[in-house]
């Protein structure tokens, strides 16, 4: 995705949270809420959302390329092998949020991620089981109606924590579920709501 691309449709109604800058709008229009079934993409969002804890998503989005560079293009097998020495070097890189706990948690989570893959065949199979392998399509009239957590995110968060993951509280995990299309939380008047509702009704491709 070209962060400098400015040729964006201007006459569409969107969720108001994305209107701050073009890269945010592109993320909303192309990615947010699209059902994800690729494990590396799930791992990417786990790293980025863990980094977001206490910060804004717009801050992390602007640093996404930095994270992609220092975390081996979000390959969990490679990140799981990062040494403490490598992590100390990463902490010197201003292209990411230089929080020691979050950086070290990424390696821990990569190891736990691989364990889940081994147990379930894929992380995707594991995480989608918490929504019965079908996106939850909500009917939000405004952003005020969008919760910070749900019973599904509570259950998933609890299980991830039990498995040893870090920075996976229910709020962080609900953000993951929204981003990766396990739930459709676009407001109903947003042009993406109908598009993604249509995708959600299609049979899942194995």
């Amino acid at each position: 995705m070209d962060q400098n691309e400015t040729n964006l449709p201007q006459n569409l109604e969107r969720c108001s949270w994305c209107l701050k800058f073009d890269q945010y709008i592109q993320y909303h229009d192309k990615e947010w809420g699209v059902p994800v079934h690729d494990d590396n993409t799930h791992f990417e969002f786990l790293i980025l959302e863990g980094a977001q804890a206490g910060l804004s998503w717009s801050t992390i989005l602007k640093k996404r390329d930095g994270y992609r560079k220092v975390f081996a293009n979000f390959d969990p097998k490679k990140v799981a092998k990062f040494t403490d020495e490598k992590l100390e070097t990463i902490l010197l890189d201003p292209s990411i949020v230089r929080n020691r706990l979050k950086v070290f948690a990424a390696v821990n989570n990569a190891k736990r991620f691989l364990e889940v893959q081994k147990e379930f065949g894929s992380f995707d199979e594991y995480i989608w089981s918490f929504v019965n392998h079908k996106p939850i399509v909500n009917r939000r009239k405004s952003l005020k109606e969008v919760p910070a957590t749900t019973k599904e995110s509570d259950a998933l968060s609890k299980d991830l924590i039990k498995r040893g993951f870090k920075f996976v509280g229910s709020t962080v995990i609900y953000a993951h579920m929204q981003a990766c299309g396990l739930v459709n939380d676009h407001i109903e008047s947003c042009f993406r709501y109908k598009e993604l509702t249509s995708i959600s009704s299609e049979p899942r491709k194995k």
Side-chain angles (χ1 to χ4, degrees):
M1 183 170 63
D2 186 354
Q3 295 181 14
N4 298 314
E5 182 183 349
T6 57
N7 186 24
L8 296 167
Q10 301 298 315
N11 59 341
L12 297 174
E13 183 163 354
R14 298 176 169 91
C15 300
S16 59
W17 56 260
C18 75
L19 302 177
K20 296 178 182 178
F21 54 96
D22 281 355
Q23 187 186 357
Y24 219 180
I25 296 174
Q26 290 167 30
Y27 170 70
H28 167 274
D29 288 5
K30 301 295 184 182
E31 292 186 79
W32 195 73
V34 176
V36 166
H37 294 294
D38 174 74
D39 271 16
N40 281 28
T41 303
H42 279 300
F43 183 64
E44 172 181 359
F45 278 102
L46 284 175
I47 286 184
L48 296 178
E49 286 146 3
Q52 180 198 356
L55 302 170
S56 69
W57 181 244
S58 59
T59 296
I60 301 303
L61 196 60
K62 290 175 180 177
K63 292 180 176 289
R64 190 178 192 178
D65 286 342
Y67 277 93
R68 182 174 288 113
K69 177 185 68 176
V70 303
F71 284 109
N73 203 31
F74 303 113
D75 184 332
K77 292 182 179 178
K78 292 180 179 179
V79 175
K81 295 178 181 179
F82 282 9
T83 62
D84 287 355
E85 183 179 18
K86 183 173 181 63
L87 294 179
E88 294 294 346
T89 301
I90 287 174
L91 283 166
L92 300 175
D93 194 323
S95 67
I96 66 164
V97 174
R98 292 179 286 181
N99 179 295
R100 178 176 294 274
L101 292 177
K102 293 176 179 179
V103 167
F104 275 77
V107 176
N108 169 78
N109 288 354
K111 294 175 181 177
R112 306 291 81 79
F113 193 92
L114 296 179
E115 292 169 357
V116 170
Q117 285 183 323
K118 184 176 181 180
E119 180 178 347
F120 292 88
S122 68
F123 187 86
D124 184 70
E125 181 68 23
Y126 162 77
I127 195 169
W128 277 91
S129 70
F130 285 84
V131 292
N132 198 28
H133 299 283
K134 185 176 177 61
I136 296 172
V137 179
N138 293 311
R139 300 180 67 88
R140 317 292 192 194
K141 300 294 185 183
S142 70
L143 291 182
K144 293 179 180 180
E145 296 179 11
V146 180
T149 64
T150 62
K151 66 180 186 338
E152 290 84 7
S153 69
D154 289 346
L156 176 53
S157 170
K158 183 178 180 180
D159 196 69
L160 288 168
I161 292 170
K162 183 177 70 176
R163 293 174 180 276
F165 285 80
K166 298 179 179 178
F167 289 98
V168 289
S170 189
T171 300
V172 170
I173 291 306
Y174 193 58
H176 183 100
M177 295 174 73
Q178 292 171 311
C180 294
L182 283 81
V183 299
N184 179 354
D185 260 349
H186 286 274
I187 60 172
E188 287 188 271
S189 58
C190 174
F191 83 98
R192 287 294 279 159
Y193 178 80
K194 288 184 178 179
E195 292 180 351
L196 291 176
T197 299
S198 176
I199 291 175
S200 299
S201 65
E202 296 175 356
R204 180 179 171 184
K205 296 179 181 179
K206 291 288 186 179

